[in-house]
Amino acid sequence: MITTEQREKLRGWFAGRLPDDLFEELTEVTLDREEITVIGRIPAPRLTEDAPAAEREAAVTARIQEFRERTRETRMAVARDAEHRFRRKVSWGVVCDGERALFTHVAAPVMTRLRQPEREVLDTLIASGVARSRSDALAWCVRLVQRHTDDWLTELRDSLEHVQRVRAQGPDTDPDADPDSDAEETEEG
């Protein structure tokens, strides 16, 4: 479990490490066991107020592509530093005129054992054309739960963080040890 302090330190590191002119704003830095995702806001293309939706969509897509190509070297240098320091892959994305686009991201395999009623749910999604495989169906289910339970998941994460803080105050812990050391590599003087 990643603590709020670890997230804040990570966001602070990226805010300090990224060139000031890379993003208009660093909007999101998230992490899990495998990956850090960095998302920033970039300027929307200048269009007339009455520009058709198709023109606006094409301009935003082109702006995102231009940003991705132009900043590749800079982003790769920051990613190398971050991957060495935090021991996780770095993925990038942008928000442009309300559109969110991820350039690269890790698709980590996850193994699970399901009983027949649970497999039937996945097989129904496949048969109906919602998913191509059980793996795809399971990913679809996770996204559906994520979309509809953000408040519940946030509360659960906060509770886990509280448990981690209480556990760190227990009698078997070293008071001088850094409980956040697994998310950040220690630097030698």
Side-chain angles (χ1 to χ4, degrees):
M1 181 66 198
I2 312 299
T3 66
T4 299
E5 183 178 356
Q6 287 172 315
R7 280 189 194 94
E8 290 169 353
K9 285 180 180 180
L10 183 71
R11 184 177 174 86
W13 186 88
F14 275 98
R17 177 61 178 84
L18 292 173
D20 288 338
D21 61 347
L22 186 65
F23 297 125
E24 286 186 332
E25 176 186 10
L26 180 61
T27 59
E28 186 179 333
V29 178
T30 58
L31 79 152
D32 63 14
R33 289 185 226 179
E34 293 85 20
E35 175 181 32
I36 299 168
T37 303
V38 180
I39 299 176
R41 187 167 41 85
I42 62 173
R46 289 185 224 167
L47 300 170
T48 61
E49 290 291 323
D50 60 342
E55 180 180 339
R56 184 169 305 282
E57 182 180 333
V60 167
T61 299
R63 172 63 51 93
I64 291 169
Q65 187 62 35
E66 183 276 333
F67 174 87
R68 182 179 185 183
E69 292 168 7
R70 177 175 44 84
T71 63
R72 182 172 280 121
E73 294 295 322
T74 301
R75 290 183 294 106
M76 287 173 59
V78 172
R80 276 191 300 275
D81 290 351
E83 288 171 6
H84 176 74
R85 181 178 179 92
F86 301 109
R87 300 178 194 264
R88 290 173 174 83
K89 290 292 183 190
V90 176
S91 300
W92 298 93
V94 295
V95 175
C96 181
D97 199 29
E99 290 295 316
R100 182 178 177 185
L102 290 176
F103 302 153
T104 55
H105 48 95
V106 174
V110 178
M111 299 296 292
T112 186
R113 295 184 188 280
L114 299 175
R115 300 195 189 294
Q116 188 175 28
E118 297 156 336
R119 293 190 311 267
E120 287 175 349
V121 170
L122 301 181
D123 292 343
T124 300
L125 292 172
I126 295 166
S128 66
V130 170
R132 296 180 311 271
S133 64
R134 284 182 171 174
S135 177
D136 191 35
L138 187 56
W140 185 90
C141 290
V142 169
R143 287 190 301 272
L144 180 67
V145 169
Q146 180 184 24
R147 184 178 308 138
H148 293 291
T149 60
D150 277 342
D151 293 339
W152 181 81
L153 288 174
T154 299
E155 187 176 337
L156 183 61
R157 287 184 188 110
D158 291 345
S159 296
L160 287 170
E161 190 172 311
H162 177 71
V163 167
Q164 191 172 21
R165 281 193 308 268
V166 171
R167 192 178 289 149
Q169 297 170 2
D172 296 334
T173 59
D174 178 1
D176 296 327
D178 181 8
D180 300 335
S181 62
D182 68 327
E184 181 175 328
E185 179 180 330
T186 58
E187 294 186 36
E188 297 178 14

Short mmCIF file of all heavy atoms in Angstrom, two decimals, residues 10 25 28 41 44 48 50 58 69 71-72 78 104 115 129 133 150:
data_model
loop_
_atom_site.label_atom_id
_atom_site.label_comp_id
_atom_site.label_asym_id
_atom_site.label_seq_id
_atom_site.Cartn_x
_atom_site.Cartn_y
_atom_site.Cartn_z
N LEU A 10 6.54 11.67 -4.29
CA LEU A 10 6.68 11.32 -5.69
C LEU A 10 6.24 12.47 -6.58
O LEU A 10 6.95 12.86 -7.52
CB LEU A 10 5.86 10.06 -6.00
CG LEU A 10 5.97 9.53 -7.41
CD1 LEU A 10 7.34 8.92 -7.65
CD2 LEU A 10 4.88 8.49 -7.66
N GLU A 25 0.48 22.34 -16.62
CA GLU A 25 0.24 21.94 -15.23
C GLU A 25 0.45 20.44 -15.12
O GLU A 25 0.05 19.69 -16.00
CB GLU A 25 -1.20 22.29 -14.84
CG GLU A 25 -1.59 21.84 -13.46
CD GLU A 25 -3.06 22.07 -13.17
OE1 GLU A 25 -3.83 22.41 -14.08
OE2 GLU A 25 -3.43 21.89 -12.00
N GLU A 28 -1.53 14.95 -12.69
CA GLU A 28 -1.69 13.67 -11.99
C GLU A 28 -0.39 12.89 -11.99
O GLU A 28 0.28 12.81 -13.02
CB GLU A 28 -2.78 12.87 -12.72
CG GLU A 28 -3.20 11.61 -12.09
CD GLU A 28 -4.30 10.92 -12.91
OE1 GLU A 28 -5.06 11.60 -13.63
OE2 GLU A 28 -4.37 9.68 -12.83
N ARG A 41 -1.23 18.70 -18.26
CA ARG A 41 -2.12 19.43 -19.17
C ARG A 41 -1.27 20.20 -20.17
O ARG A 41 -0.27 20.83 -19.81
CB ARG A 41 -3.01 20.39 -18.40
CG ARG A 41 -4.07 21.05 -19.26
CD ARG A 41 -5.16 21.75 -18.45
NE ARG A 41 -4.68 22.49 -17.31
CZ ARG A 41 -4.23 23.74 -17.33
NH1 ARG A 41 -4.16 24.39 -18.48
NH2 ARG A 41 -3.83 24.34 -16.24
N ALA A 44 -4.52 23.74 -25.40
CA ALA A 44 -5.46 23.36 -26.45
C ALA A 44 -5.11 24.11 -27.72
O ALA A 44 -4.58 25.22 -27.68
CB ALA A 44 -6.88 23.68 -26.02
N THR A 48 -11.47 28.65 -33.72
CA THR A 48 -12.57 29.59 -33.56
C THR A 48 -13.61 28.99 -32.61
O THR A 48 -13.71 27.76 -32.47
CB THR A 48 -13.22 29.92 -34.91
OG1 THR A 48 -13.75 28.72 -35.47
CG2 THR A 48 -12.23 30.57 -35.86
N ASP A 50 -16.71 28.70 -32.95
CA ASP A 50 -17.73 27.91 -33.64
C ASP A 50 -17.14 26.77 -34.49
O ASP A 50 -17.80 26.26 -35.39
CB ASP A 50 -18.61 28.82 -34.50
CG ASP A 50 -17.81 29.57 -35.57
OD1 ASP A 50 -16.57 29.66 -35.43
OD2 ASP A 50 -18.44 30.07 -36.51
N ALA A 58 -9.90 16.61 -34.41
CA ALA A 58 -8.69 16.41 -35.21
C ALA A 58 -7.55 17.30 -34.72
O ALA A 58 -6.39 16.87 -34.66
CB ALA A 58 -8.98 16.69 -36.69
N GLU A 69 5.79 13.59 -29.83
CA GLU A 69 7.01 13.51 -30.64
C GLU A 69 8.06 14.53 -30.20
O GLU A 69 9.23 14.21 -30.06
CB GLU A 69 6.66 13.69 -32.12
CG GLU A 69 5.86 12.53 -32.68
CD GLU A 69 5.26 12.82 -34.05
OE1 GLU A 69 5.58 13.89 -34.63
OE2 GLU A 69 4.46 12.00 -34.53
N THR A 71 8.52 16.02 -27.33
CA THR A 71 9.04 15.91 -25.95
C THR A 71 9.61 14.53 -25.63
O THR A 71 9.98 14.28 -24.48
CB THR A 71 7.94 16.24 -24.94
OG1 THR A 71 6.88 15.27 -25.06
CG2 THR A 71 7.39 17.64 -25.15
N ARG A 72 9.68 13.65 -26.61
CA ARG A 72 10.11 12.27 -26.36
C ARG A 72 11.46 12.19 -25.63
O ARG A 72 11.59 11.51 -24.63
CB ARG A 72 10.15 11.48 -27.66
CG ARG A 72 10.55 10.02 -27.47
CD ARG A 72 10.40 9.21 -28.73
NE ARG A 72 8.99 8.85 -28.86
CZ ARG A 72 8.21 9.18 -29.89
NH1 ARG A 72 8.70 9.88 -30.89
NH2 ARG A 72 6.96 8.82 -29.92
N VAL A 78 13.80 11.92 -18.09
CA VAL A 78 13.15 11.96 -16.77
C VAL A 78 12.75 10.54 -16.36
O VAL A 78 12.95 10.15 -15.20
CB VAL A 78 11.92 12.89 -16.79
CG1 VAL A 78 11.13 12.79 -15.49
CG2 VAL A 78 12.34 14.33 -17.05
N THR A 104 2.07 5.66 -23.21
CA THR A 104 2.59 4.33 -22.91
C THR A 104 2.08 3.95 -21.54
O THR A 104 1.92 4.81 -20.68
CB THR A 104 4.14 4.34 -22.86
OG1 THR A 104 4.54 5.33 -21.91
CG2 THR A 104 4.74 4.65 -24.20
N ARG A 115 -14.42 -19.42 -9.65
CA ARG A 115 -15.36 -20.53 -9.61
C ARG A 115 -16.31 -20.42 -10.81
O ARG A 115 -16.35 -19.41 -11.50
CB ARG A 115 -16.14 -20.51 -8.30
CG ARG A 115 -15.22 -20.62 -7.08
CD ARG A 115 -16.01 -20.96 -5.83
NE ARG A 115 -15.23 -20.88 -4.61
CZ ARG A 115 -14.22 -21.67 -4.27
NH1 ARG A 115 -13.81 -22.59 -5.09
NH2 ARG A 115 -13.60 -21.53 -3.11
N GLY A 129 -20.24 -10.28 -27.08
CA GLY A 129 -19.39 -9.41 -27.87
C GLY A 129 -18.80 -8.24 -27.11
O GLY A 129 -18.13 -7.39 -27.68
N SER A 133 -12.01 -12.14 -24.81
CA SER A 133 -11.47 -13.27 -24.07
C SER A 133 -11.83 -13.12 -22.60
O SER A 133 -12.31 -12.06 -22.18
CB SER A 133 -9.94 -13.31 -24.21
OG SER A 133 -9.39 -12.14 -23.60
N ASP A 150 -15.66 4.70 -7.12
CA ASP A 150 -14.53 5.55 -6.77
C ASP A 150 -14.56 6.00 -5.31
O ASP A 150 -13.54 5.97 -4.63
CB ASP A 150 -14.45 6.77 -7.69
CG ASP A 150 -13.75 6.46 -8.99
OD1 ASP A 150 -13.04 5.44 -9.06
OD2 ASP A 150 -13.91 7.23 -9.95
#
